[in-house]
Protein backbone atom coordinates (compact mmCIF):
# COMPACT_ATOMS: atom_id res chain seq x y z
CA UNK A 1 0.00 0.00 0.00
CA UNK A 2 1.34 3.42 -0.97
CA UNK A 3 1.40 6.53 1.23
CA UNK A 4 -0.96 9.27 0.09
CA UNK A 5 1.79 11.91 0.05
CA UNK A 6 4.58 11.69 -2.56
CA UNK A 7 7.99 10.58 -1.30
CA UNK A 8 9.78 13.16 -3.48
CA UNK A 9 8.53 16.42 -4.97
CA UNK A 10 10.80 18.50 -7.23
CA UNK A 11 9.55 21.78 -8.67
CA UNK A 12 11.40 24.19 -10.96
CA UNK A 13 14.84 22.93 -9.95
CA UNK A 14 17.76 24.91 -11.41
CA UNK A 15 21.52 24.62 -10.95
CA UNK A 16 24.31 26.30 -12.89
CA UNK A 17 28.03 25.59 -12.90
CA UNK A 18 29.66 28.68 -14.38
CA UNK A 19 28.37 28.94 -17.94
CA UNK A 20 26.80 25.47 -17.87
CA UNK A 21 23.12 25.11 -16.96
CA UNK A 22 23.09 21.66 -15.33
CA UNK A 23 19.41 21.77 -14.32
CA UNK A 24 16.92 23.98 -16.13
CA UNK A 25 13.54 23.82 -14.41
CA UNK A 26 13.41 20.14 -13.47
CA UNK A 27 10.02 18.88 -12.24
CA UNK A 28 9.48 15.41 -10.78
CA UNK A 29 7.06 13.68 -8.41
CA UNK A 30 7.81 10.22 -7.00
CA UNK A 31 5.08 8.15 -5.37
CA UNK A 32 5.96 6.48 -2.07
CA UNK A 33 6.79 2.78 -2.15
CA UNK A 34 7.84 2.73 -5.82
CA UNK A 35 11.00 2.70 -7.92
CA UNK A 36 11.51 5.86 -9.98
CA UNK A 37 14.03 5.41 -12.78
CA UNK A 38 16.04 8.36 -14.10
CA UNK A 39 17.58 8.05 -17.57
CA UNK A 40 19.56 10.56 -19.59
CA UNK A 41 22.75 11.10 -21.58
CA UNK A 42 25.99 12.06 -19.85
CA UNK A 43 25.74 15.66 -18.70
CA UNK A 44 21.93 15.62 -18.69
CA UNK A 45 21.79 16.53 -14.97
CA UNK A 46 20.99 13.16 -13.37
CA UNK A 47 23.75 13.15 -10.76
CA UNK A 48 23.31 16.87 -10.01
CA UNK A 49 19.62 16.25 -9.30
CA UNK A 50 20.40 13.33 -6.98
CA UNK A 51 23.04 15.37 -5.12
CA UNK A 52 20.51 18.14 -4.52
CA UNK A 53 17.75 15.76 -3.44
CA UNK A 54 20.16 14.09 -0.98
CA UNK A 55 21.30 17.48 0.44
CA UNK A 56 24.87 17.18 -0.89
CA UNK A 57 24.43 20.22 -3.13
CA UNK A 58 22.34 23.40 -2.84
CA UNK A 59 20.11 24.38 -5.76
CA UNK A 60 20.13 27.86 -7.27
CA UNK A 61 16.33 27.87 -7.60
CA UNK A 62 13.40 25.57 -7.04
CA UNK A 63 11.74 23.52 -4.32
CA UNK A 64 12.61 19.98 -3.28
CA UNK A 65 10.77 17.99 -0.60
CA UNK A 66 12.03 14.51 0.29
CA UNK A 67 10.22 12.25 2.79
CA UNK A 68 8.16 15.25 3.93
CA UNK A 69 11.12 17.59 4.60
CA UNK A 70 12.37 20.54 2.53
CA UNK A 71 16.00 20.02 1.51
CA UNK A 72 16.84 23.72 1.92
CA UNK A 73 14.94 24.46 5.11
CA UNK A 74 15.35 21.09 6.88
CA UNK A 75 18.45 19.32 5.46
CA UNK A 76 19.12 17.48 8.74
CA UNK A 77 15.62 15.99 8.69
CA UNK A 78 16.10 14.89 5.09
CA UNK A 79 19.41 13.20 5.91
CA UNK A 80 17.82 11.29 8.78
CA UNK A 81 15.19 9.89 6.41
CA UNK A 82 17.25 8.89 3.36
CA UNK A 83 19.96 6.49 2.27
CA UNK A 84 22.42 7.04 -0.57
CA UNK A 85 24.35 4.48 -2.59
CA UNK A 86 26.78 6.13 -5.00
CA UNK A 87 28.78 4.72 -7.88
CA UNK A 88 31.84 3.94 -5.73
CA UNK A 89 32.03 1.44 -2.89
CA UNK A 90 31.91 2.98 0.61
CA UNK A 91 32.98 -0.08 2.61
CA UNK A 92 36.42 -0.88 4.05
CA UNK A 93 37.94 -3.94 2.34
CA UNK A 94 40.09 -4.86 5.34
CA UNK A 95 37.13 -5.13 7.69
CA UNK A 96 34.59 -7.93 7.64
CA UNK A 97 31.12 -7.34 6.29
CA UNK A 98 29.70 -7.34 9.82
CA UNK A 99 32.36 -4.92 11.09
CA UNK A 100 31.57 -2.55 8.26
CA UNK A 101 27.88 -2.53 9.08
CA UNK A 102 28.56 -2.15 12.81
CA UNK A 103 30.80 0.84 12.00
CA UNK A 104 28.03 2.50 9.98
CA UNK A 105 25.60 1.79 12.80
CA UNK A 106 27.86 3.52 15.31
CA UNK A 107 28.20 6.50 12.94
CA UNK A 108 24.41 6.74 13.04
CA UNK A 109 24.61 6.63 16.87
CA UNK A 110 22.71 3.39 17.22
CA UNK A 111 24.81 2.19 20.13
CA UNK A 112 26.98 -0.94 20.15
CA UNK A 113 24.23 -3.46 20.87
CA UNK A 114 21.74 -1.99 18.41
CA UNK A 115 24.44 -1.57 15.72
CA UNK A 116 25.38 -5.25 16.06
CA UNK A 117 21.77 -6.39 15.89
CA UNK A 118 21.10 -4.21 12.86
CA UNK A 119 24.26 -5.57 11.15
CA UNK A 120 23.10 -9.16 11.66
CA UNK A 121 19.61 -8.29 10.43
CA UNK A 122 20.91 -6.73 7.20
CA UNK A 123 23.47 -9.47 6.54
CA UNK A 124 20.64 -11.99 6.66
CA UNK A 125 18.34 -9.84 4.55
CA UNK A 126 20.90 -9.55 1.75
CA UNK A 127 22.10 -13.16 1.79
CA UNK A 128 25.46 -12.34 3.39
CA UNK A 129 25.09 -14.03 6.77
CA UNK A 130 27.56 -16.80 5.93
CA UNK A 131 30.13 -14.26 4.68
CA UNK A 132 29.57 -11.73 7.44
CA UNK A 133 32.84 -12.47 9.25
CA UNK A 134 34.98 -12.60 6.11
CA UNK A 135 37.08 -9.62 5.01
CA UNK A 136 35.32 -7.65 2.27
CA UNK A 137 38.36 -8.07 0.00
CA UNK A 138 37.25 -11.71 -0.35
CA UNK A 139 33.78 -10.73 -1.62
CA UNK A 140 32.68 -10.90 -5.24
CA UNK A 141 31.54 -7.72 -6.98
CA UNK A 142 27.90 -8.55 -6.43
CA UNK A 143 28.47 -9.32 -2.73
CA UNK A 144 30.28 -6.00 -2.21
CA UNK A 145 27.49 -4.08 -3.86
CA UNK A 146 24.90 -5.86 -1.72
CA UNK A 147 26.96 -4.92 1.34
CA UNK A 148 27.02 -1.31 0.12
CA UNK A 149 23.26 -1.48 -0.20
CA UNK A 150 22.95 -2.91 3.30
CA UNK A 151 25.15 -0.10 4.68
CA UNK A 152 22.90 2.51 3.08
CA UNK A 153 19.95 1.01 5.00
CA UNK A 154 21.45 1.07 8.48
CA UNK A 155 19.24 3.99 9.51
CA UNK A 156 16.11 2.39 7.98
CA UNK A 157 15.59 5.20 5.44
CA UNK A 158 12.21 5.97 3.91
CA UNK A 159 13.82 7.01 0.63
CA UNK A 160 16.89 5.42 -0.97
CA UNK A 161 18.92 7.05 -3.76
CA UNK A 162 20.80 4.62 -6.02
CA UNK A 163 23.20 6.36 -8.41
CA UNK A 164 24.19 3.79 -11.05
CA UNK A 165 24.36 0.98 -8.46
CA UNK A 166 25.43 -1.85 -10.80
CA UNK A 167 28.14 -0.12 -12.83
CA UNK A 168 30.99 -2.56 -13.45
CA UNK A 169 29.13 -5.65 -12.25
CA UNK A 170 28.81 -8.83 -14.27
CA UNK A 171 25.30 -10.13 -15.09
CA UNK A 172 25.18 -12.33 -11.98
CA UNK A 173 26.16 -9.46 -9.69
CA UNK A 174 23.68 -7.15 -11.38
CA UNK A 175 20.87 -9.67 -10.85
CA UNK A 176 21.81 -9.98 -7.17
CA UNK A 177 21.46 -6.22 -6.71
CA UNK A 178 18.18 -6.15 -8.65
CA UNK A 179 16.71 -8.80 -6.36
CA UNK A 180 17.86 -6.83 -3.31
CA UNK A 181 16.22 -3.64 -4.62
CA UNK A 182 12.94 -5.48 -5.26
CA UNK A 183 12.91 -6.75 -1.68
CA UNK A 184 13.41 -3.20 -0.39
CA UNK A 185 10.45 -1.89 -2.33
CA UNK A 186 8.32 -4.81 -1.17
CA UNK A 187 9.11 -3.59 2.36
CA UNK A 188 7.89 -0.07 1.60
CA UNK A 189 11.11 1.77 0.75
CA UNK A 190 10.95 4.35 -2.04
CA UNK A 191 13.85 4.08 -4.49
CA UNK A 192 15.13 6.68 -6.94
CA UNK A 193 17.43 4.95 -9.43
CA UNK A 194 19.77 6.51 -11.97
CA UNK A 195 21.31 4.06 -14.41
CA UNK A 196 23.09 3.75 -17.73
CA UNK A 197 21.61 0.30 -18.25
CA UNK A 198 18.29 0.60 -20.07
CA UNK A 199 17.45 -3.02 -19.19
CA UNK A 200 17.91 -2.15 -15.51
CA UNK A 201 15.28 0.60 -15.66
CA UNK A 202 12.98 -1.72 -17.62
CA UNK A 203 13.35 -4.44 -14.99
CA UNK A 204 13.06 -2.34 -11.82
CA UNK A 205 11.31 0.97 -12.37
CA UNK A 206 7.60 1.51 -11.85
CA UNK A 207 7.98 4.84 -13.66
CA UNK A 208 10.82 6.33 -15.69
CA UNK A 209 11.75 9.96 -16.30
CA UNK A 210 14.05 10.79 -19.22
CA UNK A 211 16.20 13.87 -18.53
CA UNK A 212 18.00 15.85 -21.21
CA UNK A 213 19.63 19.27 -20.92
CA UNK A 214 18.55 19.64 -17.34
CA UNK A 215 14.82 18.98 -17.65
CA UNK A 216 12.40 16.07 -17.91
CA UNK A 217 11.55 15.50 -21.58
CA UNK A 218 9.40 12.39 -21.13
CA UNK A 219 8.07 10.25 -18.30
CA UNK A 220 5.74 7.32 -17.70
CA UNK A 221 5.84 3.58 -17.29
CA UNK A 222 8.21 1.60 -19.51
CA UNK A 223 5.25 0.52 -21.67
CA UNK A 224 4.00 4.10 -21.99
CA UNK A 225 7.41 5.31 -23.11
CA UNK A 226 7.76 2.46 -25.56
CA UNK A 227 4.45 3.37 -27.14
CA UNK A 228 5.84 6.82 -28.06
CA UNK A 229 8.11 5.26 -30.71
CA UNK A 230 5.20 3.95 -32.78
CA UNK A 231 3.89 0.90 -30.96
CA UNK A 232 4.69 -2.74 -31.69
CA UNK A 233 6.87 -3.99 -34.51
CA UNK A 234 6.82 -7.21 -36.50
CA UNK A 235 10.21 -8.67 -37.42
CA UNK A 236 10.58 -11.25 -40.20
CA UNK A 237 13.83 -13.08 -40.92
CA UNK A 238 13.93 -14.83 -44.32
CA UNK A 239 15.98 -17.77 -45.50
CA UNK A 240 16.54 -16.32 -49.00
CA UNK A 241 17.91 -12.78 -49.44
CA UNK A 242 16.50 -12.69 -52.98
CA UNK A 243 12.96 -12.70 -51.58
CA UNK A 244 13.39 -9.62 -49.37
CA UNK A 245 11.82 -7.14 -51.81
CA UNK A 246 8.77 -9.33 -52.46
CA UNK A 247 8.27 -10.04 -48.76
CA UNK A 248 8.60 -6.33 -47.91
CA UNK A 249 5.66 -5.58 -50.21
CA UNK A 250 3.49 -7.93 -48.15
CA UNK A 251 4.16 -6.28 -44.78
CA UNK A 252 2.00 -3.39 -43.52
CA UNK A 253 3.18 0.23 -43.58
CA UNK A 254 6.78 1.39 -43.88
CA UNK A 255 9.22 -1.50 -43.83
CA UNK A 256 12.85 -1.33 -42.72
CA UNK A 257 15.08 -3.77 -44.64
CA UNK A 258 18.36 -5.17 -43.26
CA UNK A 259 19.89 -7.20 -46.09
CA UNK A 260 22.86 -8.46 -44.07
CA UNK A 261 20.55 -10.14 -41.55
CA UNK A 262 17.79 -10.88 -44.08
CA UNK A 263 15.52 -8.96 -41.70
CA UNK A 264 12.32 -7.02 -42.40
CA UNK A 265 10.80 -4.84 -39.66
CA UNK A 266 7.52 -2.90 -39.74
CA UNK A 267 5.40 -0.97 -37.25
CA UNK A 268 1.99 -2.53 -36.50
CA UNK A 269 -1.07 -1.52 -34.48
CA UNK A 270 -2.80 -4.86 -33.87
CA UNK A 271 0.00 -7.27 -33.00
CA UNK A 272 -1.93 -10.57 -33.23
CA UNK A 273 -3.79 -9.65 -36.42
CA UNK A 274 -0.56 -8.46 -38.03
CA UNK A 275 1.23 -11.69 -37.10
CA UNK A 276 -1.57 -13.86 -38.51
CA UNK A 277 -1.90 -11.86 -41.72
CA UNK A 278 1.86 -11.80 -42.32
CA UNK A 279 2.21 -15.57 -41.86
CA UNK A 280 -0.65 -16.20 -44.31
CA UNK A 281 0.68 -13.72 -46.89
CA UNK A 282 4.15 -15.22 -46.84
CA UNK A 283 2.84 -18.76 -47.14
CA UNK A 284 0.59 -17.79 -50.04
CA UNK A 285 3.55 -16.18 -51.81
CA UNK A 286 5.77 -19.21 -51.22
CA UNK A 287 8.25 -17.20 -49.13
CA UNK A 288 9.97 -19.16 -46.37
CA UNK A 289 10.64 -17.32 -43.11
CA UNK A 290 13.26 -18.51 -40.65
CA UNK A 291 11.70 -16.49 -37.82
CA UNK A 292 8.70 -14.21 -37.27
CA UNK A 293 8.11 -12.26 -34.06
CA UNK A 294 6.10 -9.32 -32.79
CA UNK A 295 7.89 -7.22 -30.19
CA UNK A 296 7.60 -4.01 -28.26
CA UNK A 297 10.22 -1.31 -28.89
CA UNK A 298 13.12 -1.53 -26.46
CA UNK A 299 13.95 1.22 -23.99
CA UNK A 300 17.21 1.65 -25.93
CA UNK A 301 15.18 2.60 -29.01
CA UNK A 302 12.98 4.93 -26.94
CA UNK A 303 16.01 6.55 -25.32
CA UNK A 304 17.81 7.11 -28.62
CA UNK A 305 14.66 8.56 -30.17
CA UNK A 306 13.93 10.93 -27.28
CA UNK A 307 17.49 12.17 -26.86
CA UNK A 308 18.21 12.34 -30.59
CA UNK A 309 21.02 9.83 -30.39
CA UNK A 310 23.06 11.52 -27.63
CA UNK A 311 25.47 9.19 -25.86
CA UNK A 312 24.13 7.49 -22.74
Amino acid sequence: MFDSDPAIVVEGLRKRYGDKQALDGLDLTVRAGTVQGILGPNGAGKTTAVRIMSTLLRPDEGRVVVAGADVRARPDQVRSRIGLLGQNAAVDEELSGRQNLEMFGRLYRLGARRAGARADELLGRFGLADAGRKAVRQYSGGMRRRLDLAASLISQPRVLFLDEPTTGLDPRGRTEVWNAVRSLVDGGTTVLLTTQYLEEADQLADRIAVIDRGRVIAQGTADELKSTTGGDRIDVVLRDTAQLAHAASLLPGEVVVDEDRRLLSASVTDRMAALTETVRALEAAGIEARDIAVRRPTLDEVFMDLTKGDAA
Side-chain angles (χ1 to χ4, degrees):
M1 182 178 293
F2 301 120
D3 294 338
S4 58
D5 294 330
I8 302 172
V9 177
V10 179
E11 297 174 342
L13 194 59
R14 286 182 167 82
K15 182 66 180 180
R16 178 181 290 274
Y17 298 107
D19 295 334
K20 177 179 173 55
Q21 189 74 45
L23 296 175
D24 189 19
L26 184 74
D27 295 311
L28 183 68
T29 300
V30 180
R31 190 172 60 169
T34 64
V35 179
Q36 173 70 56
I38 302 291
L39 303 179
N42 288 334
K46 304 185 301 296
T47 297
T48 296
V50 169
R51 287 175 62 83
I52 291 173
M53 285 185 266
S54 58
T55 77
L56 297 177
L57 189 66
R58 286 186 64 83
D60 296 333
E61 298 179 34
R63 173 175 175 264
V64 181
V65 176
V66 177
D70 189 290
V71 300
R72 299 176 99 171
R74 297 287 186 268
D76 290 343
Q77 284 187 15
V78 173
R79 291 183 196 117
S80 70
R81 299 172 184 179
I82 67 171
L84 173 64
L85 176 59
Q87 298 177 28
N88 299 314
V91 295
D92 187 326
E93 291 193 347
E94 298 306 313
L95 299 179
S96 70
R98 190 177 192 278
Q99 288 171 329
N100 267 284
L101 295 183
E102 285 182 305
M103 177 182 66
F104 279 100
R106 299 300 296 271
L107 289 173
Y108 277 100
R109 301 179 181 177
L110 295 185
R113 180 175 297 178
R114 177 60 182 143
R118 184 69 175 145
D120 289 337
E121 177 186 343
L122 289 168
L123 287 169
R125 182 174 183 177
F126 289 98
L128 295 170
D130 291 342
R133 299 190 181 279
K134 293 182 180 178
V136 173
R137 66 174 180 273
Q138 301 177 44
Y139 285 18
S140 67
M143 292 170 67
R144 292 188 191 203
R145 216 52 180 141
R146 279 185 283 148
L147 184 64
D148 275 336
L149 194 52
S152 70
L153 296 171
I154 283 287
S155 64
Q156 297 180 298
R158 291 158 57 181
V159 177
L160 179 62
F161 295 98
L162 302 180
D163 191 11
E164 300 186 10
T166 60
T167 298
L169 294 184
D170 60 22
R172 181 186 297 275
R174 193 173 302 152
T175 299
E176 290 175 359
V177 173
W178 290 357
N179 290 337
V181 171
R182 291 187 183 103
S183 72
L184 293 179
V185 177
D186 288 342
T189 302
T190 302
V191 174
L192 188 141
L193 166 75
T194 71
T195 179
Q196 293 189 35
Y197 299 113
L198 284 299
E199 181 190 5
E200 185 160 84
D202 207 354
Q203 287 279 337
L204 294 178
D206 296 290
R207 290 183 64 82
I208 298 168
V210 181
I211 297 179
D212 198 16
R213 297 175 178 87
R215 61 175 59 217
V216 174
I217 60 171
Q219 59 183 315
T221 65
D223 282 345
E224 288 169 349
L225 290 177
K226 290 172 183 178
S227 71
T228 66
T229 63
D232 297 330
R233 301 193 67 84
I234 186 165
D235 291 344
V236 180
V237 179
L238 301 184
R239 293 193 178 278
D240 187 352
T241 305
Q243 295 181 315
L244 279 171
H246 187 189
S249 69
L250 304 176
L251 268 62
E254 182 178 350
V255 180
V256 177
V257 180
D258 184 335
E259 292 188 5
D260 291 337
R261 294 191 293 166
R262 300 191 297 279
L263 170 68
L264 303 172
S265 183
S267 178
V268 297
T269 53
D270 186 331
R271 54 190 293 132
M272 295 311 297
L275 181 61
T276 301
E277 291 169 6
T278 298
V279 169
R280 288 174 177 170
L282 293 175
E283 288 180 347
I287 297 174
E288 187 177 2
R290 191 172 67 182
D291 188 34
I292 302 178
V294 180
R295 64 177 178 84
R296 301 302 310 275
T298 65
L299 271 185
D300 299 68
E301 292 168 330
V302 173
F303 181 80
M304 295 298 287
D305 181 65
L306 290 171
T307 59
K308 310 306 180 188
D310 290 343

